[in-house]
Every structure is written in C-alpha cells, then in structure tokens.
Amino acid sequence: MPDNTGRAKSWQSPEVCLVLIAAAGPFSFAIWMALLNNFSVEVANFTGREIGILQSLREIPGFLAFTAVFLLLLMREQVLVVVSLALLGFGIAITGLLPSEYGLYFTTVLMSIGFHYYETVQMSLSLQWLPKDRAPRVMGWQLSAKSVASIVAYGTLWLLLESFDVPFAWLFALGGGVTIAMAFFIWAAFPRIDGHEPQHKKMILKKRYWLYYALTFMGGARRQIFVVFAGFLLVEKFGFSAATVAALYLADQVVTSLISPKIGSYITRFGERTMLIVEYIGLIIVFGSYAVVESPIIAAALYVIDHVFFSFAIAQKSYLQKIADGRDIAATSSVSFSINHIAAVVIPWAFGAYLWVLSPSYVFIAGAGMAVVSLILSLNVPRHPEPGNEVLFGKIPAAAPAE
C-alpha cells in the first residue's frame, strides 16, 4: 500500500507488480500440469479420448477470452487480474476432491476460466505499463519469474512425492492455496497503476492487424501439440512416473528462467522478424523429431527444447505493441486470446480421437506442418514494424477503413 504521504514505495512499481503477477499463476498451474497426466490415468482412468475431451474443454474459456473487455466495464484490469488469479487457484485447489471423469472436467473448466482471464489481462497490462524500448526485456523478466515460480513448485512437488508420498488431493490444494494467497497480497500491496492511454471497452478487430491475428492463431495450434500431447507421450509411451515428470519440468523451468531474459534482449537487438523465423525453424525440427523418437532421454530433451521456444512468443507481443494504437491494447489482447484458442478447442479432441489413435507420430507431423505455415507468415513481418508498416505484403491502403 502507499505510505503515509500517499506515495508508492520504491518496490511498488509497475515492473515489480507485473513480475509478481507473472509468478502467481504458474505456481499452481505448474503443479496441475505436472500431476494431470498421472492423476487422469491412475485415478480417473483416462485414455487418449478422455484427455482429448478434457483439453478441449480446458480451452473453451480461452476461446471466450474476448469477454474480458466487457468485464472492464465493471472493474479495472488490475482488479480483474487478481480475481482471475483467485479463481485459478480455487479451481486447482479442489481438483483432487473430485477424482472422476466429470469431476475433473468441472474443475478443469473452473480453473481455466481464471487462467485465461489472468493470461489475457497480464499481457494487456504489460503492453500498457511498459515503454516500447523496455518491453521485450521486462517481459523476459516476467517469463523468468514464471519459470522460477514453476521451479519452486516442481521442486516442492518432487520432494513431497519422492520422500513423503503425499496424496494428489493435498498437492492440488497446496498449489491452489499459494496462488490464492499471492492474489490477495498483490491486491493489498500495490496502489492503483494507470496505463499510458485509456483503453477501449469494446471488441476491436482491425484489418491492419491481420498478420498478428494469423501468427496468434497458428501459435495456439502449435501450443496444443506441446501442452496436450508432448507430455502425454512421455507418460503413455515411455512410462514416466509423476515424480519423473516433475523432475523433468523442474529442469525445464531452470533452463527457461536463465534463457528468457536473454531472449527478450535478443528481440530488442535483432528484431521480431528474425526471432520469429528462428523459433519456427526450431519447431519444425523439434516436431519432426517427436514423430520418430524412440529414446526416453531424447524425448525428454525435446520436451525441454520445445518449452524454451515459448519464450520467443515475446516477439509476437512486442510486434503488436509496435503496430497497435495504444488505446487498442486491452481489447486486442482479449480478442487475440480468443483467436489463439480457436484451434485449441478443436485440436485436442480431434487429434486425440483420430490421429493419436492411428499413431502418435501423425500428431507431431501435423505440428511440424503448422510450424511451416508459421514460418511463412513470419517472413512477412517487417524488420522495423510500426503503424503503417505492419506487414511487407498485404498492406491495408491508408484510405481504406482500418476497422
């Protein structure tokens, strides 16, 4: 809270607030992710069909993320992010209490509503609160904070599973409880922080943002291959235990926490175009390797490398910040999350019910194809994007309506 003079303390800055917001959600979500495959198989008796349905249900709130802009009519974004964190934590905290197919569907949707509003508003606040010349670097710090929170979560999870054999229900309750506590701290500790420009409180789709929308759509499709099927491959094909998965996730986050700030600096140095091209070439190689891997060690290494490429998503966000009208950030962030999840609603169910059943390799071959499309799109990003120079090809004429 502000001190007695009404001034904020030195640590009550937008950067510190964003870093704490970035860390609050991943602690519980990391525990949920690490336990989900084992919990669903060992307790809820899931097969590839049920896990596909669950993941599709999980992404429906992401598809509806555009509704966040309407909630801004009722509350500030800074309040909405706290409410979203509390809902995320609560949904995860009660997961272990409902160990059935429909119980797991219910808690997944509940926590997903909180998670997707949280992710939407966090991105919006980052682009509003941070100056353009510092945004990639500070967003790198945020990714590092997410990874550090996940490291603590995975380390705690591994210790509790290996040394004390703690039941799933208590582990879910621990993860959710920490996120709820951090949400209350952020709400109580930070004063009101205003963005640089007032935000539109309506849906906005602009033709000149079309390349950003396309990259976002493909990013959502690519994300599902990793989130849904890469981890499931480790458990189903290679027999990884919950403790082994937690240890792998721990190593994964250590690497990401060290690399993310550097990636933010590289985006500032080399530009969004170059970093996006590097990302998609790397993903083509990774997904192609998933399709043929037979070694659990190589599969684990691919998982870590795959996750590192998520840090490159900073380039998409900073690209939007450079081309967008400042008043469009909140609305465009909400819409972009919905676009990101169009494919996410369909892919887990369709790929789980059809491609995975035929062969897991087909899922990852499809992922490599998605990366090829993303690479082609990234070649259309200018080296110096700005309003009026959003794309190399397919520019919207100045006289044409922008919306």
Side-chain angles (χ1 to χ4, degrees):
M1 297 294 289
D3 60 23
N4 293 332
T5 66
R7 294 173 299 183
K9 299 175 184 177
S10 60
W11 58 271
Q12 293 173 313
S13 66
E15 288 85 354
V16 172
C17 186
L18 287 169
V19 166
L20 289 178
I21 290 171
F27 185 91
S28 59
F29 190 69
I31 286 181
W32 185 86
M33 282 292 295
L35 295 177
L36 175 64
N37 287 318
N38 291 89
F39 182 71
S40 63
V41 171
E42 297 171 17
V43 180
N45 299 314
F46 273 29
T47 65
R49 173 184 172 276
E50 287 81 22
I51 199 69
I53 293 172
L54 181 143
Q55 294 291 0
S56 288
L57 290 172
R58 182 171 74 88
E59 298 300 351
I60 290 175
F63 177 68
L64 299 175
F66 69 90
T67 59
V69 72
F70 301 120
L71 294 177
L72 299 184
L73 296 170
L74 304 176
M75 65 185 79
R76 293 170 49 80
E77 283 184 275
Q78 197 171 341
V79 175
L80 179 55
V81 78
V82 169
V83 172
S84 301
L85 280 170
L87 184 60
L88 165 64
F90 178 71
I92 291 174
I94 65 172
T95 295
L97 303 179
L98 300 170
S100 66
E101 179 181 350
Y102 291 103
L104 192 50
Y105 291 162
F106 169 74
T107 56
T108 295
V109 171
L110 187 64
M111 78 88 189
S112 182
I113 293 171
F115 176 81
H116 285 98
Y117 279 142
Y118 154 70
E119 287 277 306
T120 299
V121 180
Q122 183 206 10
M123 172 183 167
S124 174
L125 292 177
S126 297
L127 299 182
Q128 291 178 59
W129 290 356
L130 300 173
K132 293 181 181 180
D133 60 340
R134 285 176 50 79
R137 186 184 298 269
V138 177
M139 285 192 281
W141 295 346
Q142 291 176 54
L143 285 179
S144 184
K146 286 185 176 184
S147 294
V148 170
S150 298
I151 288 168
V152 175
Y154 293 138
T156 301
L157 189 61
W158 182 84
L159 178 64
L160 293 177
L161 285 169
E162 284 291 287
S163 301
F164 303 102
D165 196 25
V166 176
F168 283 117
W170 286 101
L171 297 173
F172 283 121
L174 170 65
V178 168
T179 291
I180 293 171
M182 290 189 70
F184 277 106
F185 174 78
I186 292 167
W187 173 73
F190 287 89
R192 171 174 174 159
I193 302 173
D194 291 315
H196 297 296
E197 296 188 52
Q199 296 296 296
H200 293 300
K201 295 179 174 61
K202 61 182 180 179
M203 282 187 61
I204 291 178
L205 281 168
K206 291 190 174 181
K207 292 180 181 179
R208 67 185 184 89
Y209 301 160
W210 73 265
L211 180 57
Y212 172 72
Y213 298 146
L215 288 168
T216 299
F217 174 81
M218 294 308 303
R222 162 266 193 275
R223 178 174 168 271
Q224 293 312 303
I225 305 298
F226 175 84
V227 171
V228 179
F229 297 106
F232 201 68
L233 180 77
L234 299 179
V235 174
E236 187 180 78
K237 181 174 182 177
F238 297 106
F240 282 32
S241 67
T244 303
V245 170
L248 175 62
Y249 285 8
L250 177 60
D252 182 12
Q253 296 298 333
V254 169
V255 173
T256 302
S257 68
L258 296 174
I259 289 178
S260 293
K262 295 182 182 297
I263 290 175
S265 298
Y266 292 153
I267 291 169
T268 300
R269 180 178 177 184
F270 299 111
E272 289 79 10
R273 173 188 168 91
T274 299
M275 297 303 288
L276 288 171
I277 290 172
V278 170
E279 174 187 5
Y280 298 130
I281 291 174
L283 288 175
I284 293 169
I285 297 171
V286 168
F287 285 138
S289 299
Y290 272 135
V292 298
V293 66
E294 294 296 333
S295 165
I297 295 175
I298 295 177
L302 288 172
Y303 191 90
V304 173
I305 295 169
D306 195 355
H307 190 269
V308 167
F309 280 115
F310 277 102
S311 300
F312 285 69
I314 297 171
Q316 279 189 36
K317 297 175 183 177
S318 62
Y319 168 64
L320 171 63
Q321 188 186 37
K322 289 180 178 180
I323 66 172
D325 183 323
R327 296 168 298 174
D328 295 347
I329 294 297
T332 304
S333 296
S334 299
V335 170
S336 71
F337 263 83
S338 295
I339 292 172
N340 181 272
H341 288 80
I342 292 172
V345 172
V346 177
I347 285 177
W349 170 79
F351 282 22
Y354 297 102
L355 289 185
W356 187 272
V357 173
L358 294 174
S359 172
S361 295
Y362 292 160
V363 170
F364 298 109
I365 291 171
M370 294 172 189
V372 170
V373 174
S374 297
L375 175 61
I376 294 171
L377 290 170
S378 69
L379 295 172
N380 200 23
V381 175
R383 294 194 180 276
H384 302 287
E386 60 185 0
N389 188 37
E390 298 89 359
V391 297
L392 295 177
F393 304 100
K395 290 184 179 181
I396 303 300
E403 298 185 16

